[in-house]
Amino acid sequence: MRVSSQNSEYRLLDTSSGERLEKWGDVTLIRPDPQIIWKTPKDSLWNTADARYIRSNKGGGHWEVYKKTKESWQVKFGEITMLVRPTGFKHTGVFPEQAVNWELFDKLIKEAGRPISVLNLFAYTGGATLACAAAGASVCHVDASKGMVSWARENAELSGLSDKPIRWIVDDCKKFVEREIRRGRFYDAVIMDPPSYGRGPNGEVWQLEEQVYDLVKLCAGVLSDNPLFFVINSYTAGLTPSVMKYVLSQTVALGRGGETSADEIGILVEKTGQCLPCGSTAIWMQK
């Protein structure tokens, strides 16, 4: 399992009975996590939480606030500053386990010794975008949600990266890639973080397991003649690291050589010293 080693203001204090106890800067939250099936004792630290997300039996849920908290606040991950804002869907706008990938992007881009252009698809609030931009790459940030792209731009400003070469695009990722290929615009690196489920413009259901191969194959077509890396994240139970590695080997790696790998990513739990698995990442890199 790959785990971030960089300094950050996020800490996973403890996990038990389907919940995480997390410290986001100076704010402590309790959030549900279905992977946490163990029922280890909860000590008094759990009583220090500022708020807790309670799931509803009818879907969704709400935040139960124990102490007066800000609607949003800043948390640093290495050189990046992210705006944390608890949403009605338990998320906070940041997936801290992705910090291990942000470190990798920084390393690969800086060691490349040449200008690197990055396409970040399903880019959410921009953690990967900011990591790549801070490392010196030009980035095209694409997400279908206008609100998420606006949030990402806020994060860029907070991180002192507003003047970096970042294109902010609100669009369907698949359609955008198809147009980029027709326009003859290519990228040295592609990062993908597609959702497990979604709905198309006409209400059709989109499931990652059914679409991932075709999606990766399409996006491989936007790589330049001298690509640096291709990364896809998965939070879908059926798409194990080995499955994702196989997909990359049969799409991106064909005719390009390089090295393909995949592994779980996770976060260190401070109380136990164990790591909580938080999805997986498959990576193709140029040798």
Side-chain angles (χ1 to χ4, degrees):
M1 184 183 297
R2 298 170 54 236
V3 179
S4 174
S5 60
Q6 74 176 9
N7 293 324
S8 78
E9 294 176 346
Y10 170 86
R11 297 162 58 200
L12 181 53
L13 303 177
D14 196 10
T15 59
S16 181
S17 303
E19 293 182 313
R20 302 183 184 189
L21 179 66
E22 306 170 295
K23 192 83 170 177
W24 299 84
D26 59 358
V27 178
T28 303
L29 302 177
I30 297 174
R31 293 192 300 154
D33 188 323
Q35 289 197 108
I36 301 171
I37 62 172
W38 45 91
K39 299 177 182 179
T40 48
K42 291 184 176 181
D43 60 22
S44 59
L45 194 60
W46 287 80
N47 298 326
T48 66
D50 296 287
R52 179 185 184 186
Y53 187 84
I54 307 295
R55 285 196 181 280
S56 168
N57 293 331
K58 299 178 181 179
H62 68 279
W63 287 94
E64 190 173 89
V65 179
Y66 304 129
K67 302 174 187 177
K68 186 176 180 180
T69 58
K70 299 163 280 190
E71 290 187 1
S72 63
W73 62 97
Q74 300 173 24
V75 173
K76 286 186 173 294
F77 291 83
E79 299 178 31
I80 298 171
T81 300
M82 303 285 285
L83 188 66
V84 175
R85 183 183 290 139
T87 70
F89 300 96
K90 88 167 183 175
H91 297 303
T92 63
V94 184
F95 287 87
E97 65 273 11
Q98 287 295 329
V100 69
N101 287 328
W102 303 341
E103 294 171 45
L104 175 65
F105 304 152
D106 178 85
K107 178 178 182 291
L108 293 175
I109 290 167
K110 287 179 177 177
E111 291 181 352
R114 58 186 172 95
I116 297 296
S117 59
V118 178
L119 176 61
N120 186 15
L121 301 169
F122 310 95
Y124 197 50
T125 59
T129 293
L130 302 184
C132 293
S138 60
V139 187
C140 182
H141 174 111
V142 187
D143 197 282
S145 169
K146 184 178 180 180
M148 288 299 119
V149 174
S150 296
W151 194 336
R153 296 187 76 152
E154 286 185 80
N155 287 335
E157 185 174 349
L158 291 172
S159 300
L161 298 171
S162 295
D163 60 340
K164 297 297 182 180
I166 304 173
R167 295 170 61 207
W168 304 102
I169 307 293
V170 179
D171 202 350
D172 176 89
C173 290
K174 180 176 179 290
K175 292 178 179 178
F176 178 79
V177 170
E178 290 170 340
R179 287 197 299 273
E180 290 290 84
I181 292 172
R182 290 196 297 268
R183 287 187 284 243
R185 181 174 287 164
F186 302 102
Y187 298 84
D188 302 307
V190 173
I191 302 165
M192 297 172 56
D193 202 344
S196 297
Y197 301 96
R199 290 192 177 273
N202 299 314
E204 63 272 23
V205 176
W206 187 91
Q207 290 189 312
L208 185 58
E209 295 102 318
E210 299 173 1
Q211 304 289 336
V212 67
Y213 176 81
D214 291 336
L215 183 61
V216 172
K217 186 176 180 181
L218 170 68
C219 293
V222 83
L223 286 171
S224 69
D225 292 335
N226 188 22
L228 183 62
F229 65 83
F230 190 111
V231 168
I232 179 167
N233 294 304
S234 171
Y235 291 89
T236 304
L239 297 179
T240 64
S242 296
V243 168
M244 298 308 301
K245 179 181 178 182
Y246 198 102
V247 170
L248 284 188
S249 70
Q250 297 303 304
T251 52
V252 177
L254 284 182
R256 294 186 176 91
E259 179 181 334
T260 306
S261 63
D263 204 348
E264 286 186 304
I265 56 175
I267 308 172
L268 179 69
V269 181
E270 291 190 3
K271 183 178 179 180
T272 63
Q274 302 296 313
C275 290
L276 175 68
C278 303
S280 61
T281 301
I283 306 165
W284 173 86
M285 292 187 292
Q286 182 189 72
K287 284 187 178 178

